[in-house]
């Protein structure tokens, strides 16, 4: 059996188990080991595809068309290993499989119980991925927080695996050691209780990753308690863990035959992130902007593309509804580029259409992603082709010009989950187009997640007015990319290129878009030099003196927790 590292979390959620698992995966891979990562999610949904972004954040789509947890995006970005639907297991999938077997009579009249049937199904899915990947190390992250009732079957399953393969399973527990400002000291009691709860389940953590700056005691050797301090970039975490000795400890405890760690390329990438010489400001016009995790892969794609240009890309978060209320100029006038990302539903759509128009008319670089391609098409049809009522049938089923319409194969679909056009499809690029120049080739493969598509009924008329259809699905006539030739940089795609961006392989469309944004900044300001942000404490003091309001950080502000309309 492959060696297994199980990552759990305690005290509170959102401590960074996914980043921890991905960082460990990177460290072990850079020591010459074959690594795979798997996320076990305790929720009863089959997958996150039908969840609201306000509750779950981004849905990460794999090449084989699975809608998965956003942590799988971290796995791919850190390790460079493509994941599949087997890498994300939910309680919904487990119970669905068991109940289907029960209805078929597979259990031959036996009583179906959590133990052994649910735990056996979980272990089966873990073993199946191990056999498929032939990895040396299998990292399993269990979602949620220790103490959640829904995660108990998953914890019991990995407890059994430890009993069955005692020398091959290692438990890593990510926990919080809060600093109490009034007392001026850190408190270890929450972590002690979290470890106590794990031990009551029958699991003794071998390593603690503590969000703190000093060691603590929980029946573990001091070397197995590793600081996981806050850092400026998630890409620093592997370096922090290396200094804490995490990879060496895992290699020793699991008796792995590993080589020396080589992080030179990764450290070079981190250095470019932390020490930019240039900068650009890009506006992201969306509808879930109060929840940054809804756009996680886009954020990271801009980190990768910015590093490729030794630049920091500052994202300015703009709600489509705000543009509808106050106009595009109020929010977009001083930007170096505009991005309209994917989304569902009509809320804020007219604001996104206005953003596409502002970019087209003012010569501002524009990148449309999925829905962003659809609103750019609608805007062009209305303003250039003269079809004032042009729209998507998703937003206005009675529009006389459905320039965006439901895919033909979607017309009889009634269920929502897992029924969109999902996964990777090949795309042929038009020679000499902006897309072909950016990719540096005439064919690519990208991941999709949508029901609506460019309506080819209007293709000839829109092309006659200047719209270039520069990418089409191989084997079908589905339009994948549109662009404008008489514009500094205007390109929109039906797919999600952000899902395939990597630190060492930034996506070419993002790289070229950032190049265009930097050029606009130089033309607009006379330079694109990086200017460090003012220290928040100083800014707050200055604001107190002048009566000015300090705006929320455009990159990492707090997430809203209140539900919003879809």
């Amino acid at each position: 059996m492959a060696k297994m590292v199980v990552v759990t979390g305690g005290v509170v959620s959102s401590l960074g188990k996914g980043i921890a698992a991905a960082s460990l995966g990177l460290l072990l891979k850079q020591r010459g080991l074959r690594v795979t990562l798997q996320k076990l999610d305790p929720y009863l949904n089959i997958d996150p595809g039908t969840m609201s972004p306000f509750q779950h954040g981004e849905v990460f789509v794999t090449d084989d068309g699975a809608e998965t947890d956003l942590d799988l995006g971290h796995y791919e970005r850190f390790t460079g290993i493509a994941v599949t639907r087997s890498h994300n297991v939910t309680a919904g999938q487990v119970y669905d499989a068991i109940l289907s077997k029960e209805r078929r009579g597979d259990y031959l009249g036996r009583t179906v119980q959590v133990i052994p049937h649910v735990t056996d199904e979980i272990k089966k899915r873990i073993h199946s991925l191990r056999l498929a990947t032939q990895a040396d190390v299998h990292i399993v992250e269990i979602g949620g927080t220790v103490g959640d009732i829904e995660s108990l079957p998953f914890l019991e399953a990995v407890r059994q695996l430890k009993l069955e393969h005692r020398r091959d399973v290692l438990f890593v527990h990510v926990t919080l050691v809060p600093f109490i400002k009034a007392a001026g000291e850190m408190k270890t009691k929450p972590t002690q209780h979290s470890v106590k709860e794990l031990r009551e389940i029958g699991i003794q953590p071998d390593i603690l990753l503590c969000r703190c700056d000093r060691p603590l005691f929980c029946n573990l050797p001091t070397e197995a308690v590793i600081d996981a301090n806050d850092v400026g970039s998630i890409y620093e975490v592997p370096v922090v863990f290396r200094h804490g000795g995490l990879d060496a400890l895992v290699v020793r405890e699991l008796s792995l035959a590993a080589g020396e760690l080589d992080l030179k390329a990764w450290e070079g990438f981190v250095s470019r992130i932390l020490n930019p010489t240039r900068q650009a400001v890009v506006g992201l016009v969306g509808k879930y902007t109060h929840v940054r995790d809804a756009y996680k892969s886009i954020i990271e794609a801009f980190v990768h593309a910015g590093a490729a240009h030794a630049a920091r890309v500052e994202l300015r978060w703009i709600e489509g509804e705000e543009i509808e209320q106050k106009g595009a100029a109020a929010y977009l006038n001083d930007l170096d580029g505009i991005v309209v990302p994917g989304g569902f539903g009509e809320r804020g759509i007219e604001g996104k259409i206005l953003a596409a128009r502002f970019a087209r008319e003012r010569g501002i670089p524009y990148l449309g992603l999925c829905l962003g391609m659809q609103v750019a098409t609608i805007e062009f049809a209305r303003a250039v082709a003269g079809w004032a009522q042009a729209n998507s049938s998703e937003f206005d089923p009675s529009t006389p010009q459905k320039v965006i319409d439901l895919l033909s194969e979607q017309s009889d679909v009634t269920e929502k989950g897992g029924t969109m056009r999902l996964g990777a499809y090949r795309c042929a690029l038009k020679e000499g187009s902006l897309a072909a120049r950016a990719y540096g080739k005439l064919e690519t493969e990208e991941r999709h997640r949508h029901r609506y598509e460019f309506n080819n009924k209007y293709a000839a008329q829109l092309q006659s007015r200047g719209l270039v259809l520069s990418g089409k699905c191989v084997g079908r006539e589905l339009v994948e990319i549109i662009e404008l030739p008489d514009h500094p940089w205007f390109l929109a795609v039906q797919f999600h290129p952000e899902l395939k961006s990597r630190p060492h392989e930034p996506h070419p469309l993002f790289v070229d878009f950032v190049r265009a944004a930097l050029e606009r900044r130089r033309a607009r300001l006379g330079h694109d030099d990086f200017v460090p942000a003012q220290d928040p404490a100083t800014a707050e003091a200055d604001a107190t003196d002048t009566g000015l309001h300090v705006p929320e950080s455009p990159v990492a502000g707090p997430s809203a927790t209140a539900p919003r309309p879809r």
Side-chain angles (χ1 to χ4, degrees):
M1 151 167 182
K3 305 292 185 177
M4 182 182 301
V5 179
V6 180
V7 180
T8 58
V11 184
V12 295
S13 60
S14 301
L15 282 180
K17 296 189 303 297
I19 297 294
S23 297
L24 176 58
L26 168 68
L27 293 174
L28 296 178
K29 182 172 181 259
Q30 293 308 112
R31 294 186 70 140
L33 296 167
R34 296 190 305 274
V35 177
T36 193
L37 298 100
Q38 189 173 34
K39 177 73 181 288
L40 309 183
D41 278 309
Y43 50 71
L44 291 177
N45 303 67
I46 297 294
D47 59 43
T50 58
M51 289 185 182
S52 166
F54 291 112
Q55 289 196 15
H56 185 269
E58 173 185 82
V59 174
F60 189 82
V61 180
T62 61
D63 279 343
D64 62 351
E67 295 174 289
T68 70
D69 186 81
L70 63 81
D71 278 334
L72 273 73
H74 294 314
Y75 301 167
E76 284 203 353
R77 286 187 285 270
F78 276 65
T79 67
I81 301 169
V83 296
T84 67
R85 64 178 65 253
S86 300
H87 289 77
N88 193 191
V89 177
T90 70
Q93 294 170 12
V94 170
Y95 284 108
D96 183 59
I98 291 169
L99 293 175
S100 295
K101 291 177 183 177
E102 190 276 332
R103 291 290 84 188
R104 290 196 305 266
D106 291 4
Y107 295 110
L108 299 176
R110 293 192 298 269
T111 301
V112 181
Q113 297 176 296
V114 173
I115 300 173
H117 301 103
V118 173
T119 51
D120 282 354
E121 181 68 24
I122 293 169
K123 290 191 292 182
K124 172 189 169 186
R125 289 169 184 254
I126 293 173
H127 285 311
S128 294
L129 182 62
R130 172 181 63 82
L131 292 171
T133 60
Q134 292 295 300
D136 299 314
V137 183
H138 185 166
I139 300 173
V140 177
E141 177 195 351
I142 299 180
T145 306
V146 170
D148 295 343
I149 191 169
E150 60 263 29
S151 65
L152 287 175
F154 291 92
L155 293 170
E156 171 60 21
V158 295
R159 184 195 70 81
Q160 292 177 19
L161 286 172
K162 176 70 170 180
L163 288 178
E164 295 163 7
H165 309 277
R166 189 172 297 276
R167 297 175 182 273
D168 297 327
V169 180
L170 192 74
F171 288 104
V172 176
H173 191 52
V174 184
T175 183
L176 175 70
V177 180
F179 177 77
I180 307 302
K181 190 173 182 181
E185 59 185 29
M186 305 183 79
K187 294 296 182 180
T188 64
K189 190 62 69 177
T191 291
Q192 292 176 40
H193 279 289
S194 182
V195 172
K196 178 174 176 286
E197 190 147 14
L198 260 183
R199 296 180 70 190
E200 289 175 349
I201 296 169
I203 294 173
Q204 169 67 51
D206 300 290
I207 300 172
L208 291 182
L209 298 180
C210 301
R211 300 297 294 267
C212 64
D213 62 1
R214 64 193 68 187
L216 70 159
F217 178 75
C218 259
N219 196 29
L220 288 170
T222 303
E223 65 178 0
V225 182
I226 296 173
D227 296 343
N229 298 326
D230 292 346
V231 290
S233 167
I234 59 173
Y235 299 105
E236 294 180 77
V237 174
V239 180
V240 171
F241 284 174
R242 182 200 59 183
H243 290 314
L246 176 61
D247 58 302
L249 187 58
V250 170
V251 166
R252 189 191 75 193
E253 292 299 309
L254 291 177
S255 301
L256 291 162
E260 291 297 316
L261 180 63
D262 181 7
L263 273 188
K264 289 181 181 178
W266 189 267
E267 289 174 329
F269 167 68
V270 172
S271 178
R272 292 193 297 276
I273 293 175
L274 300 180
N275 303 287
T277 59
R278 310 162 74 190
Q279 72 177 22
V281 180
V282 172
L284 188 147
V285 183
K287 63 183 295 186
Y288 316 117
T289 61
H290 296 279
V291 182
R292 303 294 192 259
D293 276 354
Y295 302 109
K296 189 60 180 172
S297 290
I298 294 175
I299 294 171
E300 301 311 323
F302 275 117
V303 173
H304 308 158
H309 290 284
R312 177 165 298 170
V313 180
E314 176 187 318
L315 291 179
R316 185 175 298 173
W317 301 90
I318 305 163
E319 281 283 314
E321 290 176 300
E322 294 174 343
I323 293 178
E324 291 173 357
Q325 295 164 7
K326 299 182 180 179
Y331 295 96
L332 310 179
N333 207 37
D334 60 343
L335 296 177
D336 304 311
I338 296 171
V339 174
V340 175
F344 300 92
E346 62 180 334
R347 182 172 63 83
I349 283 298
E350 292 301 323
K352 295 178 182 180
I353 292 172
L354 289 173
R357 176 169 300 176
F358 196 85
R360 180 180 58 81
E361 294 179 342
R362 304 297 179 93
I364 301 173
Y366 176 90
L367 175 60
L369 306 173
C370 195
L371 179 62
M373 181 262 211
Q374 297 176 6
V375 299
T377 302
I378 294 168
E379 191 283 321
F380 187 90
R382 289 180 183 179
V384 180
W387 303 331
Q389 298 182 65
N391 213 327
S392 166
S393 58
E394 179 183 5
F395 314 130
D396 183 6
S398 62
T399 177
Q401 289 94 20
K402 297 177 182 177
V403 292
I404 303 296
D405 203 3
L406 194 68
L407 284 159
S408 58
E409 60 264 32
Q410 292 283 321
S411 58
D412 296 324
V413 172
T414 56
E415 294 189 353
K416 298 296 184 185
T419 57
M420 287 186 278
R421 185 179 183 225
L422 295 165
Y425 292 88
R426 291 159 58 206
C427 177
L429 308 176
K430 185 175 182 179
E431 189 170 0
S433 65
L434 173 59
R437 292 197 301 272
Y439 276 103
K441 54 187 178 181
L442 293 179
E443 186 175 308
T444 187
E445 186 176 83
E446 297 287 359
R447 297 175 185 176
H448 296 68
R449 184 175 183 250
H450 62 101
R451 293 188 195 279
Y452 292 81
E453 180 68 71
F454 184 99
N455 189 344
N456 279 318
K457 174 182 176 182
Y458 300 99
Q461 293 165 281
L462 292 174
Q463 287 181 97
S464 70
R465 301 306 301 268
L467 189 67
V468 175
L469 311 182
S470 57
K472 291 188 177 182
C473 180
V474 174
R476 300 183 65 179
E477 280 300 303
L478 297 177
V479 175
E480 302 277 38
I481 308 175
I482 66 168
E483 58 186 67
L484 297 178
D486 299 322
H487 190 282
W489 207 98
F490 193 107
L491 185 145
V493 299
Q494 184 57 75
F495 44 81
H496 289 272
E498 69 273 16
L499 299 178
K500 300 191 77 169
S501 185
R502 306 286 179 267
H504 301 307
E505 297 179 2
H507 196 282
L509 293 184
F510 280 85
V511 171
D512 205 48
F513 174 75
V514 171
R515 175 196 58 76
L518 290 167
E519 287 182 0
R520 173 175 168 79
R521 188 171 184 84
R522 286 195 300 273
R524 191 167 61 85
L525 301 178
H527 69 88
D528 59 8
D529 299 339
F530 174 69
V531 179
Q534 189 176 10
D535 180 74
T538 305
E540 187 173 352
D542 291 346
T544 302
D545 293 339
T546 61
L548 297 175
H549 170 65
V550 181
E552 175 188 310
S553 166
V555 176
S559 296
T561 56
R564 293 169 58 88
R566 186 169 183 236

